[in-house]
Amino acid sequence: MDTLIYSGFTANGLTDGATIIWTSSEPDAVSETGAVTRSEENVKVELTAEITYNGETVTETFEVTVRKSA
């Protein structure tokens, strides 16, 4: 099941000593800074987080759907 998103989120930066860099498969819908732009149709987006902590890097991918505007 996809996660539905309607508005922006905080992206990229330092969290508890870990560096997180986000990339988006659909930057017009979800930018790499976390800004969300809704359109006339639902948009499926793959968000990838590259997390580095203590010199180790892990990559996680999340599938989300940006809901269409009302």
Side-chain angles (χ1 to χ4, degrees):
M1 174 186 232
D2 285 348
T3 299
L4 300 176
I5 58 176
Y6 300 87
S7 62
F9 60 95
T10 302
N12 296 340
L14 190 64
T15 303
D16 294 327
T19 301
I20 304 172
I21 299 172
W22 289 91
T23 55
S24 171
S25 65
E26 297 289 339
D28 289 339
V30 180
S31 77
E32 294 176 5
T33 62
V36 173
T37 304
R38 295 168 68 186
S39 64
E40 294 179 10
E41 299 296 325
N42 288 346
V43 178
K44 290 194 178 278
V45 180
E46 193 171 89
L47 296 175
T48 302
E50 182 180 275
I51 306 159
T52 303
Y53 182 74
N54 285 339
E56 305 250 346
T57 300
V58 175
T59 302
E60 292 288 334
T61 301
F62 306 90
E63 291 184 8
V64 300
T65 300
V66 176
R67 292 292 300 235
K68 63 183 177 181
S69 52

